[in-house]
Amino acid sequence: MGKRNLALLAATCVSIIYGVTFTVAKDVMPEYVGAFGFILMRVGGSALLFWLSWLVVPKEKIDRADFPRIIAAALFGVALNMLTFFKGLSLTSPISAAVIMVTTPIIVLVLSAIIIKEKMRKRKVFGIVLGLVGTAFLILYGKSVGSATNAGLGNLLVFVNAVSYGFYLILVKKLMEKYNAFTFVKWIYTFGFLMVLPFGWNEFHAIDWALMPTDIYLKAAFVVVISTFLTYLLNLISMKELSPSTVAVFIYLQPLFATIFAIGLGKDELSWVKIISAALIFIGVYLVTQKQAKTT
C-alpha cells in the first residue's frame, strides 16, 4: 500500500512539473532556441545525466534480446512523441493541441486492452471519460483559440504524439518488471538522442549563447533537469506499481496545474468553469486510481 501511494504521489508530481513547464518553456523558445534545437538540448542533457547517475547505482546487464524493445521505447517515448508534439504545436493552436493530448489515457486504455490484455473495468472507463470532459471544459472555455497556420496537419501530428506516448507506456512496463530504471533508461535516451540529432542539430548550432540572459539559462536548465530527467524517473517509479492506463490518466492533471500556476502568477482568473472542471478531473483521477476491493 505504501509503494502504491508513493507511485501515485510520483505521478502527481510529474503533472505539477509539466504544468509549470508549459509557462517556463515558452519563455525559452522560439525566441532564444528553436523547438527542435530545444528537444536536442533536452534529450542530450538528460542522456548525460542518466549516464552519470548510472555510475553510482548497482550494475545490471541487459539481455541482448531486450534491445529492440529499448530502441522502440526510445522511438515512441522520446523521439517521435517529442518531435511530433513540438512540430504539431507550432502548426495548430495550443488549445486544439491540449484537447488532443488528453485523449492519451483513452488511447492507452484501448492499447492496453489489446496488447497486454488489461481489463477495461467500467469504473476505470467512467473515470477516464469524466476526466476527459473536465479537461475539455478547462481548455475550451475562457481562453482564446489562438492562431493556427496549418491546423489539420498540426492536429494530426499531436494525435500521433498521443498514440506514440501510449505505445511507450506499454513498451516500458515490461522493462520495468525486469530491470532497475537506471539500467535501461540511459539507453533509451542515448538512442533517442541519436534519433533527434538530425532534426535538431541546425537549430541547436544556431543558438547565440552570448545573447541568452541568465534567467533563460536557468529556465532551459529547469526543462532539462527537472522537466525531463526528474519527471522521467518519477514516471518510472509510478509505472513500477501502476498500470499504463492509470499512469496515463495523470495527463488530465497537467492543464489543471498549468491553470493553477497561471492564476498564481496573475496571468489567469478563477471562474466557476475552472472550479467545476477541476472537480470533474479530480473525481475522474480518483476513480481510475482506486484499487479494486478484490485482489487481482
Side-chain angles (χ1 to χ4, degrees), residues 9-258:
L9 179 64
T12 305
C13 287
V14 168
S15 296
I16 293 169
I17 293 165
Y18 281 151
V20 173
T21 302
F22 283 117
T23 302
V24 174
K26 277 184 77 174
D27 291 339
V28 180
M29 61 172 198
E31 190 177 347
Y32 296 100
V33 184
F36 284 3
F38 202 24
I39 289 170
L40 187 63
M41 194 189 296
R42 287 183 71 175
V43 178
S46 296
L48 185 63
L49 289 171
F50 281 121
W51 276 99
L52 289 171
S53 303
W54 174 76
L55 294 173
V56 295
V57 297
K59 306 295 180 285
E60 288 177 295
K61 190 171 171 63
I62 295 175
D63 292 341
R64 193 170 287 183
D66 287 324
F67 271 101
R69 181 180 286 271
I70 288 170
I71 293 167
L75 173 65
F76 291 115
V78 177
L80 186 63
N81 85 312
M82 280 194 191
L83 291 169
T84 52
F85 181 70
F86 274 82
K87 187 64 179 174
L89 192 59
S90 71
L91 295 172
T92 189
S93 68
I95 291 170
S96 297
V99 171
I100 296 162
M101 200 175 74
V102 295
T103 60
T104 302
I106 294 166
I107 293 165
V108 172
L109 191 68
V110 173
L111 290 175
S112 296
I114 296 166
I115 298 169
I116 59 173
K117 305 291 184 281
E118 187 183 318
K119 290 178 183 175
M120 290 180 74
R121 296 190 176 92
K122 287 179 183 175
R123 188 199 70 243
K124 187 173 271 193
V125 174
F126 181 65
I128 285 173
V129 172
L130 208 59
L132 183 64
V133 171
T135 307
F137 268 101
L138 183 63
I139 293 162
L140 289 170
Y141 287 91
K143 294 183 181 180
S144 58
V145 172
S147 59
T149 53
N150 189 343
L153 178 60
N155 290 342
L156 177 64
L157 287 171
V158 175
F159 182 71
V160 169
N161 150 76
V163 176
S164 176
Y165 188 66
F167 270 117
Y168 158 73
L169 287 176
I170 293 162
L171 282 166
V172 86
K173 183 73 175 170
K174 283 278 192 335
L175 294 169
M176 284 301 303
E177 290 165 1
K178 193 169 180 179
Y179 302 108
N180 174 289
F182 287 100
T183 302
F184 66 86
V185 79
K186 66 185 187 295
W187 287 111
I188 287 179
Y189 264 82
T190 301
F191 288 122
F193 175 74
L194 294 173
M195 290 172 190
V196 300
L197 187 60
F199 297 94
W201 176 250
N202 285 342
E203 289 185 1
F204 179 77
H205 189 62
I207 297 169
D208 193 336
W209 300 97
L211 286 177
M212 204 181 279
T214 306
D215 70 308
I216 299 299
Y217 270 109
L218 293 172
K219 285 171 180 176
F222 175 89
V223 172
V224 173
V225 180
I226 308 297
S227 307
T228 314
F229 174 71
L230 181 62
T231 56
Y232 212 89
L233 288 179
L234 290 171
N235 250 336
L236 292 173
I237 290 167
S238 63
M239 290 182 70
K240 196 88 173 172
E241 298 297 321
L242 308 172
S243 70
S245 59
T246 300
V247 173
V249 83
F250 279 85
I251 286 169
Y252 289 151
L253 292 176
Q254 290 175 28
L256 176 66
F257 287 126

